[in-house]
Amino acid sequence: MKKLNAMSLAISALTLGLAASSALALTAEEQAQVNAAGQAAAQAVKQQAADQAEALLNTAKTQGDALLAAAKEKGDALIAAAKAASYSDSAAKAAALAEAQLAKSNLVLDAQAQKDKLVAEAKAQGAQVKSQSTIDADAAKTTAKAITTFDIGHPWLKAAEPTVKVQFNSNGPAESMDPTYNVCRGIDPRCFHPWKGNIKNRILIYSRTAGPRHANLGPAQTTAGSVTGSANIPDANVYQKTVAKWMEEQGVTVTWTEDVNVLAGLSINTYDALVMASPTRDTFTKHGTFVAEGAKGYTNLAGTAIGTGNNPGGNLSSSNLNTDQAKTSLRNFMRSGGGFAGMHNVFGAEYNWPYYEGLLGNANYMDHGSAQAGDIVIVNQADVSTAGLPKQFRFADEWYNFAPFPTKVRFLAAVDDNTLATGRGGTNPGHSFHPVTWCQYYDGGKAWITSLGHFSNAFDPNATSNSNSGISATTQAYFKQHVVHGLLSIMGREPFCQGVDNRPDANGNVRDDKWFHPLQSAAQPEPGTWADVR
Protein backbone atom coordinates (compact mmCIF):
# COMPACT_ATOMS: atom_id res chain seq x y z
CA MET A 1 0.00 0.00 0.00
CA LYS A 2 2.81 2.35 0.86
CA LYS A 3 4.38 1.84 -2.57
CA LEU A 4 1.08 2.51 -4.35
CA ASN A 5 0.43 5.66 -2.37
CA ALA A 6 3.96 6.96 -2.90
CA MET A 7 3.76 6.45 -6.64
CA SER A 8 0.27 7.93 -6.82
CA LEU A 9 1.49 10.94 -4.87
CA ALA A 10 4.44 11.31 -7.21
CA ILE A 11 2.19 11.17 -10.26
CA SER A 12 -0.20 13.74 -8.79
CA ALA A 13 2.71 15.92 -7.75
CA LEU A 14 4.25 15.64 -11.18
CA THR A 15 0.95 16.64 -12.76
CA LEU A 16 0.71 19.81 -10.70
CA GLY A 17 4.44 20.43 -11.01
CA LEU A 18 4.35 20.17 -14.78
CA ALA A 19 1.31 22.42 -14.85
CA ALA A 20 3.23 24.93 -12.80
CA SER A 21 6.34 24.67 -14.95
CA SER A 22 4.34 24.99 -18.16
CA ALA A 23 2.96 28.28 -16.91
CA LEU A 24 6.30 29.37 -15.46
CA ALA A 25 9.54 29.86 -17.38
CA LEU A 26 12.23 28.77 -14.93
CA THR A 27 15.55 30.56 -14.89
CA ALA A 28 18.74 28.51 -14.96
CA GLU A 29 19.16 29.16 -11.25
CA GLU A 30 15.60 28.05 -10.50
CA GLN A 31 16.00 24.92 -12.63
CA ALA A 32 19.17 24.11 -10.70
CA GLN A 33 17.17 24.57 -7.49
CA VAL A 34 14.52 22.13 -8.77
CA ASN A 35 17.16 19.56 -9.75
CA ALA A 36 18.97 19.93 -6.44
CA ALA A 37 15.72 19.38 -4.54
CA GLY A 38 15.08 16.21 -6.51
CA GLN A 39 18.59 14.89 -5.93
CA ALA A 40 18.43 15.70 -2.23
CA ALA A 41 15.10 13.93 -1.86
CA ALA A 42 16.35 10.86 -3.70
CA GLN A 43 19.55 10.79 -1.66
CA ALA A 44 17.55 11.10 1.56
CA VAL A 45 15.44 8.08 0.63
CA LYS A 46 18.53 6.02 -0.24
CA GLN A 47 20.29 7.08 2.94
CA GLN A 48 17.21 6.17 4.95
CA ALA A 49 17.20 2.75 3.28
CA ALA A 50 20.91 2.28 4.01
CA ASP A 51 20.37 3.24 7.62
CA GLN A 52 17.43 0.85 7.86
CA ALA A 53 19.48 -2.00 6.35
CA GLU A 54 22.32 -1.30 8.76
CA ALA A 55 19.89 -1.22 11.68
CA LEU A 56 18.44 -4.58 10.63
CA LEU A 57 21.94 -6.08 10.49
CA ASN A 58 22.99 -4.60 13.82
CA THR A 59 19.82 -5.90 15.46
CA ALA A 60 20.46 -9.39 14.08
CA LYS A 61 24.06 -9.33 15.33
CA THR A 62 22.97 -8.14 18.77
CA GLN A 63 20.36 -10.88 19.01
CA GLY A 64 22.92 -13.45 17.85
CA ASP A 65 25.50 -12.29 20.36
CA ALA A 66 22.88 -12.59 23.09
CA LEU A 67 22.18 -16.19 22.01
CA LEU A 68 25.91 -16.98 22.08
CA ALA A 69 26.35 -15.43 25.52
CA ALA A 70 23.41 -17.42 26.87
CA ALA A 71 24.79 -20.64 25.36
CA LYS A 72 28.23 -20.08 26.88
CA GLU A 73 26.70 -19.25 30.26
CA LYS A 74 24.62 -22.42 30.19
CA GLY A 75 27.66 -24.48 29.12
CA ASP A 76 29.81 -22.99 31.88
CA ALA A 77 27.09 -23.87 34.37
CA LEU A 78 27.12 -27.50 33.17
CA ILE A 79 30.91 -27.66 33.54
CA ALA A 80 30.79 -26.09 37.00
CA ALA A 81 28.17 -28.63 38.07
CA ALA A 82 30.30 -31.49 36.74
CA LYS A 83 33.31 -30.26 38.69
CA ALA A 84 31.37 -29.91 41.90
CA ALA A 85 29.81 -33.37 41.77
CA SER A 86 31.15 -36.40 43.72
CA TYR A 87 32.59 -39.34 41.77
CA SER A 88 33.68 -42.89 42.62
CA ASP A 89 37.01 -42.39 40.90
CA SER A 90 38.93 -39.94 38.73
CA ALA A 91 37.93 -41.67 35.52
CA ALA A 92 34.24 -41.03 36.21
CA LYS A 93 34.95 -37.38 36.97
CA ALA A 94 36.94 -36.96 33.78
CA ALA A 95 34.15 -38.50 31.75
CA ALA A 96 31.55 -36.15 33.31
CA LEU A 97 33.69 -33.10 32.62
CA ALA A 98 34.23 -34.18 29.02
CA GLU A 99 30.48 -34.62 28.57
CA ALA A 100 29.80 -31.15 30.01
CA GLN A 101 32.43 -29.56 27.78
CA LEU A 102 30.94 -31.28 24.73
CA ALA A 103 27.48 -30.04 25.71
CA LYS A 104 28.83 -26.51 25.95
CA SER A 105 30.44 -26.79 22.55
CA ASN A 106 27.17 -27.99 21.02
CA LEU A 107 25.25 -25.16 22.66
CA VAL A 108 27.71 -22.61 21.29
CA LEU A 109 27.58 -24.16 17.83
CA ASP A 110 23.78 -24.06 17.81
CA ALA A 111 23.79 -20.44 18.98
CA GLN A 112 26.34 -19.51 16.32
CA ALA A 113 24.15 -21.17 13.67
CA GLN A 114 21.13 -19.19 14.89
CA LYS A 115 23.17 -16.00 14.79
CA ASP A 116 24.38 -16.73 11.27
CA LYS A 117 20.77 -17.32 10.19
CA LEU A 118 19.59 -14.06 11.76
CA VAL A 119 22.41 -12.13 10.10
CA ALA A 120 21.70 -13.74 6.72
CA GLU A 121 17.99 -12.89 6.97
CA ALA A 122 18.82 -9.32 7.99
CA LYS A 123 21.15 -8.94 5.03
CA ALA A 124 18.44 -10.24 2.70
CA GLN A 125 15.90 -7.84 4.18
CA GLY A 126 18.40 -5.02 3.89
CA ALA A 127 18.98 -5.84 0.24
CA GLN A 128 15.20 -5.71 -0.37
CA VAL A 129 14.99 -2.36 1.40
CA LYS A 130 17.81 -0.96 -0.73
CA SER A 131 16.25 -2.36 -3.88
CA GLN A 132 12.90 -0.78 -3.05
CA SER A 133 14.68 2.45 -2.23
CA THR A 134 15.63 2.82 -5.87
CA ILE A 135 11.93 2.97 -6.79
CA ASP A 136 11.06 5.13 -3.79
CA ALA A 137 13.96 7.47 -4.52
CA ASP A 138 12.71 8.03 -8.05
CA ALA A 139 9.23 8.79 -6.71
CA ALA A 140 10.65 11.12 -4.07
CA LYS A 141 12.77 12.85 -6.70
CA THR A 142 9.75 13.36 -8.94
CA THR A 143 7.65 14.67 -6.05
CA ALA A 144 10.34 17.01 -4.73
CA LYS A 145 10.97 18.49 -8.17
CA ALA A 146 7.25 19.01 -8.73
CA ILE A 147 6.76 20.62 -5.31
CA THR A 148 9.79 22.86 -5.75
CA THR A 149 8.59 23.91 -9.20
CA PHE A 150 5.17 24.66 -7.74
CA ASP A 151 6.69 26.62 -4.86
CA ILE A 152 8.78 28.74 -7.20
CA GLY A 153 5.66 29.63 -9.13
CA HIS A 154 3.76 30.41 -5.90
CA PRO A 155 6.09 32.48 -3.70
CA TRP A 156 3.24 33.32 -1.32
CA LEU A 157 3.42 29.79 0.14
CA LYS A 158 5.98 30.99 2.65
CA ALA A 159 4.83 34.59 2.79
CA ALA A 160 3.63 36.42 5.89
CA GLU A 161 0.94 39.04 6.27
CA PRO A 162 2.27 42.45 5.18
CA THR A 163 2.77 45.10 7.84
CA VAL A 164 3.08 48.13 5.56
CA LYS A 165 -0.03 49.86 4.24
CA VAL A 166 -0.59 49.78 0.49
CA GLN A 167 -3.00 51.61 -1.79
CA PHE A 168 -6.40 50.05 -2.40
CA ASN A 169 -5.61 49.50 -6.05
CA SER A 170 -2.59 47.41 -5.11
CA ASN A 171 -4.72 44.39 -4.45
CA GLY A 172 -1.95 41.90 -4.03
CA PRO A 173 0.24 39.56 -6.07
CA ALA A 174 -0.98 38.60 -9.53
CA GLU A 175 -0.98 34.87 -8.81
CA SER A 176 -3.62 35.35 -6.08
CA MET A 177 -5.91 37.67 -7.97
CA ASP A 178 -9.30 36.13 -8.70
CA PRO A 179 -10.52 37.36 -12.08
CA THR A 180 -14.10 36.33 -11.31
CA TYR A 181 -14.43 38.74 -8.40
CA ASN A 182 -11.49 41.00 -9.27
CA VAL A 183 -10.00 40.67 -5.80
CA CYS A 184 -6.97 39.12 -4.19
CA ARG A 185 -8.26 36.12 -2.30
CA GLY A 186 -7.38 32.67 -0.99
CA ILE A 187 -4.80 31.60 1.55
CA ASP A 188 -2.12 34.02 0.35
CA PRO A 189 -1.29 36.23 3.38
CA ARG A 190 -0.13 38.94 1.01
CA CYS A 191 -3.79 39.58 0.16
CA PHE A 192 -4.13 41.19 3.60
CA HIS A 193 -4.24 44.99 3.88
CA PRO A 194 -2.86 46.18 7.25
CA TRP A 195 -4.84 49.42 7.36
CA LYS A 196 -6.77 48.62 10.50
CA GLY A 197 -4.13 49.79 12.95
CA ASN A 198 -4.58 48.97 16.61
CA ILE A 199 -7.08 46.31 17.61
CA LYS A 200 -10.25 47.93 18.93
CA ASN A 201 -11.53 44.81 20.73
CA ARG A 202 -14.96 45.51 19.31
CA ILE A 203 -17.18 43.64 16.87
CA LEU A 204 -20.56 44.23 15.24
CA ILE A 205 -23.17 41.47 14.96
CA TYR A 206 -25.62 41.97 12.10
CA SER A 207 -28.66 39.69 11.82
CA ARG A 208 -31.15 41.54 9.64
CA THR A 209 -33.44 39.18 7.74
CA ALA A 210 -35.20 40.42 4.63
CA GLY A 211 -36.71 36.97 4.12
CA PRO A 212 -36.96 33.73 6.14
CA ARG A 213 -35.75 34.01 9.72
CA HIS A 214 -34.18 31.28 11.83
CA ALA A 215 -35.89 30.67 15.16
CA ASN A 216 -32.70 31.08 17.18
CA LEU A 217 -32.42 34.69 15.99
CA GLY A 218 -35.55 35.52 17.95
CA PRO A 219 -37.83 38.47 17.14
CA ALA A 220 -36.58 41.06 14.69
CA GLN A 221 -35.19 44.27 16.12
CA THR A 222 -37.99 46.84 16.07
CA THR A 223 -36.11 49.99 16.98
CA ALA A 224 -33.60 51.83 14.84
CA GLY A 225 -29.96 51.93 15.83
CA SER A 226 -27.98 49.38 17.79
CA VAL A 227 -27.41 48.06 21.30
CA THR A 228 -24.08 47.35 22.94
CA GLY A 229 -23.51 44.62 25.50
CA SER A 230 -25.14 41.21 25.85
CA ALA A 231 -27.15 42.47 28.83
CA ASN A 232 -29.05 44.77 26.46
CA ILE A 233 -29.86 42.04 23.95
CA PRO A 234 -33.23 40.34 24.67
CA ASP A 235 -33.08 36.75 25.92
CA ALA A 236 -35.27 35.65 23.00
CA ASN A 237 -32.46 36.57 20.60
CA VAL A 238 -30.50 33.48 21.60
CA TYR A 239 -28.02 33.50 18.73
CA GLN A 240 -26.94 37.13 19.05
CA LYS A 241 -26.99 37.30 22.85
CA THR A 242 -24.94 34.14 23.27
CA VAL A 243 -22.24 35.08 20.78
CA ALA A 244 -22.04 38.47 22.52
CA LYS A 245 -21.55 36.74 25.89
CA TRP A 246 -18.87 34.46 24.49
CA MET A 247 -16.87 37.36 23.11
CA GLU A 248 -17.34 39.50 26.22
CA GLU A 249 -15.60 36.70 28.11
CA GLN A 250 -12.63 37.46 25.85
CA GLY A 251 -12.70 41.17 26.67
CA VAL A 252 -14.47 42.12 23.44
CA THR A 253 -17.17 44.80 23.29
CA VAL A 254 -20.09 43.58 21.20
CA THR A 255 -22.68 45.69 19.41
CA TRP A 256 -25.78 44.19 17.79
CA THR A 257 -27.99 45.67 15.13
CA GLU A 258 -30.50 44.83 12.43
CA ASP A 259 -30.59 48.41 11.19
CA VAL A 260 -29.03 48.65 7.72
CA ASN A 261 -28.20 52.30 8.41
CA VAL A 262 -25.83 51.18 11.17
CA LEU A 263 -24.17 48.74 8.81
CA ALA A 264 -23.79 51.56 6.31
CA GLY A 265 -21.51 53.20 8.88
CA LEU A 266 -19.28 50.12 9.28
CA SER A 267 -15.68 51.26 9.71
CA ILE A 268 -12.33 49.85 10.80
CA ASN A 269 -12.03 52.89 13.02
CA THR A 270 -14.77 51.41 15.21
CA TYR A 271 -14.87 47.66 14.69
CA ASP A 272 -12.37 44.87 14.19
CA ALA A 273 -14.87 42.49 12.65
CA LEU A 274 -18.39 42.07 11.33
CA VAL A 275 -20.33 38.93 12.28
CA MET A 276 -23.11 38.09 9.86
CA ALA A 277 -25.53 35.96 11.86
CA SER A 278 -27.90 34.14 9.48
CA PRO A 279 -29.04 37.19 7.48
CA THR A 280 -31.35 36.54 4.55
CA ARG A 281 -32.12 37.83 1.08
CA ASP A 282 -31.17 41.44 0.19
CA THR A 283 -30.10 42.20 3.74
CA PHE A 284 -27.86 45.12 2.72
CA THR A 285 -30.52 46.98 0.78
CA LYS A 286 -32.07 50.09 2.29
CA HIS A 287 -35.63 49.19 1.41
CA GLY A 288 -38.23 51.84 0.66
CA THR A 289 -35.77 54.52 -0.39
CA PHE A 290 -35.42 53.98 -4.11
CA VAL A 291 -37.67 57.07 -4.44
CA ALA A 292 -37.94 59.80 -1.81
CA GLU A 293 -41.16 60.20 0.10
CA GLY A 294 -41.84 63.64 -1.46
CA ALA A 295 -41.88 62.42 -5.04
CA LYS A 296 -45.20 62.97 -6.88
CA GLY A 297 -46.80 60.28 -8.95
CA TYR A 298 -44.93 57.30 -7.48
CA THR A 299 -46.84 54.47 -5.84
CA ASN A 300 -45.91 51.49 -3.78
CA LEU A 301 -46.73 47.89 -4.69
CA ALA A 302 -50.21 48.30 -3.13
CA GLY A 303 -50.95 51.22 -5.47
CA THR A 304 -50.86 53.83 -2.72
CA ALA A 305 -49.29 57.17 -3.63
CA ILE A 306 -45.95 57.72 -1.97
CA GLY A 307 -45.83 61.53 -2.13
CA THR A 308 -47.67 64.67 -3.20
CA GLY A 309 -44.80 66.93 -4.22
CA ASN A 310 -45.03 69.05 -7.35
CA ASN A 311 -41.66 67.96 -8.63
CA PRO A 312 -41.94 64.56 -10.36
CA GLY A 313 -38.39 63.95 -9.33
CA GLY A 314 -39.21 64.66 -5.73
CA ASN A 315 -36.72 65.55 -3.02
CA LEU A 316 -34.20 62.85 -3.89
CA SER A 317 -31.54 63.21 -1.23
CA SER A 318 -28.29 61.27 -1.55
CA SER A 319 -29.06 59.28 1.59
CA ASN A 320 -32.32 58.10 0.09
CA LEU A 321 -30.88 57.22 -3.28
CA ASN A 322 -27.87 55.29 -1.94
CA THR A 323 -29.65 52.02 -1.32
CA ASP A 324 -26.35 50.14 -1.55
CA GLN A 325 -24.47 52.19 1.03
CA ALA A 326 -24.11 49.16 3.32
CA LYS A 327 -22.53 47.19 0.48
CA THR A 328 -20.09 49.99 -0.14
CA SER A 329 -19.20 50.11 3.55
CA LEU A 330 -18.64 46.37 3.69
CA ARG A 331 -16.36 46.47 0.66
CA ASN A 332 -14.32 49.33 2.10
CA PHE A 333 -14.21 47.58 5.48
CA MET A 334 -12.72 44.44 3.90
CA ARG A 335 -10.29 46.41 1.77
CA SER A 336 -9.00 48.11 4.90
CA GLY A 337 -8.15 44.82 6.61
CA GLY A 338 -11.41 44.20 8.45
CA GLY A 339 -12.58 40.79 9.62
CA PHE A 340 -15.71 39.02 8.39
CA ALA A 341 -17.44 36.05 10.01
CA GLY A 342 -20.23 34.44 8.07
CA MET A 343 -22.30 32.08 10.19
CA HIS A 344 -24.92 29.52 9.22
CA ASN A 345 -27.46 31.12 6.88
CA VAL A 346 -25.02 33.75 5.76
CA PHE A 347 -25.44 31.80 2.52
CA GLY A 348 -29.10 32.82 2.38
CA ALA A 349 -28.36 36.44 1.57
CA GLU A 350 -27.40 38.60 -1.40
CA TYR A 351 -27.66 35.83 -3.99
CA ASN A 352 -27.13 38.27 -6.85
CA TRP A 353 -24.12 40.17 -5.52
CA PRO A 354 -20.93 38.53 -6.89
CA TYR A 355 -18.63 40.29 -4.41
CA TYR A 356 -20.54 38.70 -1.53
CA GLU A 357 -20.39 35.25 -3.10
CA GLY A 358 -16.63 35.62 -3.42
CA LEU A 359 -16.43 36.73 0.21
CA LEU A 360 -18.03 33.42 1.16
CA GLY A 361 -15.28 31.58 -0.70
CA ASN A 362 -16.83 31.40 -4.18
CA ALA A 363 -19.63 29.51 -2.44
CA ASN A 364 -23.39 29.80 -2.47
CA TYR A 365 -26.31 27.94 -1.00
CA MET A 366 -27.72 25.06 -3.05
CA ASP A 367 -29.93 23.11 -0.63
CA HIS A 368 -29.88 21.02 2.53
CA GLY A 369 -31.34 17.75 3.74
CA SER A 370 -33.16 17.10 6.97
CA ALA A 371 -31.92 18.94 10.03
CA GLN A 372 -30.30 16.06 11.92
CA ALA A 373 -27.35 14.74 13.87
CA GLY A 374 -24.06 13.90 12.17
CA ASP A 375 -20.33 13.70 12.84
CA ILE A 376 -18.15 16.76 12.37
CA VAL A 377 -14.61 15.88 11.31
CA ILE A 378 -11.81 18.37 11.91
CA VAL A 379 -9.74 18.37 8.72
CA ASN A 380 -7.19 20.91 9.91
CA GLN A 381 -6.12 20.91 13.55
CA ALA A 382 -3.45 23.59 13.08
CA ASP A 383 -5.83 26.57 13.02
CA VAL A 384 -6.74 28.35 16.26
CA SER A 385 -10.45 27.68 15.65
CA THR A 386 -9.89 23.91 15.54
CA ALA A 387 -6.86 23.40 17.78
CA GLY A 388 -7.70 21.23 20.77
CA LEU A 389 -10.99 19.98 19.35
CA PRO A 390 -11.55 16.23 19.02
CA LYS A 391 -10.81 14.87 15.58
CA GLN A 392 -14.45 13.82 15.27
CA PHE A 393 -17.51 14.61 17.37
CA ARG A 394 -21.31 14.45 17.18
CA PHE A 395 -23.27 17.57 16.33
CA ALA A 396 -26.52 18.55 14.59
CA ASP A 397 -27.35 20.99 11.85
CA GLU A 398 -28.95 21.38 8.42
CA TRP A 399 -25.66 20.53 6.64
CA TYR A 400 -25.82 22.95 3.73
CA ASN A 401 -24.75 21.90 0.24
CA PHE A 402 -23.04 24.43 -1.99
CA ALA A 403 -23.12 25.42 -5.64
CA PRO A 404 -20.73 26.82 -6.52
CA PHE A 405 -18.43 24.85 -4.26
CA PRO A 406 -15.79 26.75 -2.25
CA THR A 407 -12.44 27.25 -3.99
CA LYS A 408 -9.06 28.73 -3.00
CA VAL A 409 -9.92 28.41 0.69
CA ARG A 410 -8.46 26.53 3.64
CA PHE A 411 -10.97 23.95 4.81
CA LEU A 412 -11.14 23.54 8.58
CA ALA A 413 -14.03 21.17 9.29
CA ALA A 414 -16.41 18.88 7.40
CA VAL A 415 -19.36 16.61 8.06
CA ASP A 416 -19.03 12.90 7.37
CA ASP A 417 -22.08 12.27 5.19
CA ASN A 418 -21.94 8.57 6.06
CA THR A 419 -23.06 9.46 9.59
CA LEU A 420 -26.26 11.22 8.47
CA ALA A 421 -29.33 9.04 8.89
CA THR A 422 -31.42 10.74 6.22
CA GLY A 423 -28.75 12.94 4.81
CA ARG A 424 -27.83 14.28 1.41
CA GLY A 425 -24.44 12.65 1.12
CA GLY A 426 -22.43 13.53 -1.95
CA THR A 427 -24.86 16.13 -3.23
CA ASN A 428 -22.28 18.88 -3.61
CA PRO A 429 -21.92 18.55 -7.38
CA GLY A 430 -18.65 16.82 -8.20
CA HIS A 431 -17.55 16.53 -4.57
CA SER A 432 -17.90 13.79 -1.98
CA PHE A 433 -16.15 15.97 0.59
CA HIS A 434 -18.71 18.05 2.55
CA PRO A 435 -17.12 21.11 4.24
CA VAL A 436 -18.77 23.10 7.02
CA THR A 437 -16.06 25.62 7.97
CA TRP A 438 -13.28 27.33 6.01
CA CYS A 439 -11.27 30.55 5.89
CA GLN A 440 -9.60 32.84 3.36
CA TYR A 441 -8.12 36.27 2.83
CA TYR A 442 -10.44 38.41 0.73
CA ASP A 443 -9.87 41.79 -0.89
CA GLY A 444 -7.60 42.92 1.93
CA GLY A 445 -9.57 41.44 4.83
CA LYS A 446 -10.00 38.12 6.61
CA ALA A 447 -13.03 35.87 6.27
CA TRP A 448 -13.98 32.94 8.51
CA ILE A 449 -17.04 31.04 7.28
CA THR A 450 -19.13 28.31 8.90
CA SER A 451 -22.46 26.82 7.89
CA LEU A 452 -23.00 25.57 11.46
CA GLY A 453 -25.45 27.15 13.90
CA HIS A 454 -28.99 26.13 12.96
CA PHE A 455 -30.22 24.99 16.37
CA SER A 456 -30.69 27.13 19.47
CA ASN A 457 -28.84 24.69 21.71
CA ALA A 458 -25.78 25.07 19.51
CA PHE A 459 -25.49 28.39 21.33
CA ASP A 460 -27.30 27.75 24.59
CA PRO A 461 -27.06 24.22 26.08
CA ASN A 462 -30.22 24.96 28.09
CA ALA A 463 -32.29 26.02 25.07
CA THR A 464 -35.42 23.95 24.53
CA SER A 465 -36.98 25.48 21.43
CA ASN A 466 -35.41 24.93 18.02
CA SER A 467 -33.01 22.41 19.52
CA ASN A 468 -31.68 18.97 18.62
CA SER A 469 -30.63 16.06 20.82
CA GLY A 470 -27.57 15.54 18.62
CA ILE A 471 -25.99 18.49 20.43
CA SER A 472 -24.84 17.77 23.97
CA ALA A 473 -23.42 20.20 26.50
CA THR A 474 -19.98 18.83 25.61
CA THR A 475 -20.28 19.30 21.86
CA GLN A 476 -21.92 22.70 22.37
CA ALA A 477 -18.73 23.69 24.20
CA TYR A 478 -16.73 22.50 21.19
CA PHE A 479 -18.84 24.73 18.94
CA LYS A 480 -18.29 27.68 21.27
CA GLN A 481 -14.54 27.15 21.16
CA HIS A 482 -14.66 26.88 17.38
CA VAL A 483 -16.58 30.15 16.97
CA VAL A 484 -14.76 32.19 19.62
CA HIS A 485 -11.30 31.50 18.23
CA GLY A 486 -12.50 31.93 14.67
CA LEU A 487 -13.70 35.43 15.59
CA LEU A 488 -10.54 36.25 17.53
CA SER A 489 -8.49 35.29 14.47
CA ILE A 490 -10.33 37.62 12.09
CA MET A 491 -10.04 40.40 14.68
CA GLY A 492 -6.27 40.04 14.58
CA ARG A 493 -5.90 38.86 18.14
CA GLU A 494 -4.87 35.34 17.13
CA PRO A 495 -3.13 33.87 14.07
CA PHE A 496 -5.46 33.64 11.09
CA CYS A 497 -6.24 30.70 8.80
CA GLN A 498 -3.31 28.52 9.84
CA GLY A 499 -2.41 25.12 8.42
CA VAL A 500 0.25 22.44 8.31
CA ASP A 501 0.99 22.73 4.60
CA ASN A 502 -0.01 25.71 2.51
CA ARG A 503 0.03 23.92 -0.84
CA PRO A 504 -3.41 23.82 -2.45
CA ASP A 505 -4.98 21.01 -4.42
CA ALA A 506 -6.00 21.22 -8.07
CA ASN A 507 -9.01 23.39 -7.09
CA GLY A 508 -6.90 25.81 -5.10
CA ASN A 509 -8.20 24.46 -1.76
CA VAL A 510 -6.15 23.40 1.23
CA ARG A 511 -7.30 20.59 3.51
CA ASP A 512 -4.25 19.68 5.68
CA ASP A 513 -6.20 16.71 7.01
CA LYS A 514 -5.14 13.23 8.09
CA TRP A 515 -8.67 11.89 7.76
CA PHE A 516 -8.97 8.80 5.56
CA HIS A 517 -12.37 9.21 3.93
CA PRO A 518 -14.43 5.95 3.93
CA LEU A 519 -15.09 6.39 0.20
CA GLN A 520 -11.41 6.79 -0.60
CA SER A 521 -9.62 3.82 -2.17
CA ALA A 522 -6.17 2.68 -1.14
CA ALA A 523 -4.81 3.59 -4.56
CA GLN A 524 -5.43 7.28 -3.98
CA PRO A 525 -2.76 9.59 -2.52
CA GLU A 526 -2.14 9.44 1.19
CA PRO A 527 -4.57 11.63 3.16
CA GLY A 528 -3.11 14.92 4.22
CA THR A 529 -0.74 15.30 1.30
CA TRP A 530 -1.03 18.35 -0.90
CA ALA A 531 -1.87 16.08 -3.84
CA ASP A 532 -4.80 14.55 -1.97
CA VAL A 533 -7.73 15.71 -4.12
CA ARG A 534 -11.21 14.36 -3.53
Side-chain angles (χ1 to χ4, degrees), residues 32 42 47 56 69 93 108 144 182 189-190 263 265 270 334 362 405 419 485:
Q47 184 60 52
L56 287 170
K93 181 176 181 179
V108 171
N182 196 31
R190 295 178 301 169
L263 192 63
T270 306
M334 297 305 296
N362 180 53
F405 193 78
T419 65
H485 290 284

Side-chain angles (χ1 to χ4, degrees), residues 409-449:
V409 303
R410 185 185 296 284
F411 289 123
L412 303 176
V415 58
D416 185 350
D417 283 336
N418 294 307
T419 65
L420 303 181
T422 60
R424 304 249 318 167
T427 57
N428 287 295
H431 302 272
S432 62
F433 175 64
H434 195 159
V436 296
T437 307
W438 56 86
C439 55
Q440 67 163 346
Y441 291 94
Y442 190 81
D443 200 21
K446 303 175 180 180
W448 187 86
I449 312 296

Side-chain angles (χ1 to χ4, degrees), residues 14-15 44 70 86 105 108 141 180 233 255 259 267 274 278 313 326 338 367 370 375 383 400 424 451 456 469 494 496:
L14 180 60
T15 300
S86 300
S105 296
V108 171
K141 182 178 181 179
T180 301
I233 300 175
T255 297
D259 184 348
S267 170
L274 169 68
S278 290
D367 64 5
S370 302
D375 284 3
D383 188 64
Y400 287 175
R424 304 249 318 167
S451 62
S456 292
S469 59
E494 294 184 347
F496 175 68

Side-chain angles (χ1 to χ4, degrees), residues 373-377 392-395 399 414-417 419-420 515:
D375 284 3
I376 288 178
V377 180
Q392 188 162 341
F393 60 90
R394 200 71 170 161
F395 203 65
W399 314 116
V415 58
D416 185 350
D417 283 336
T419 65
L420 303 181
W515 175 42

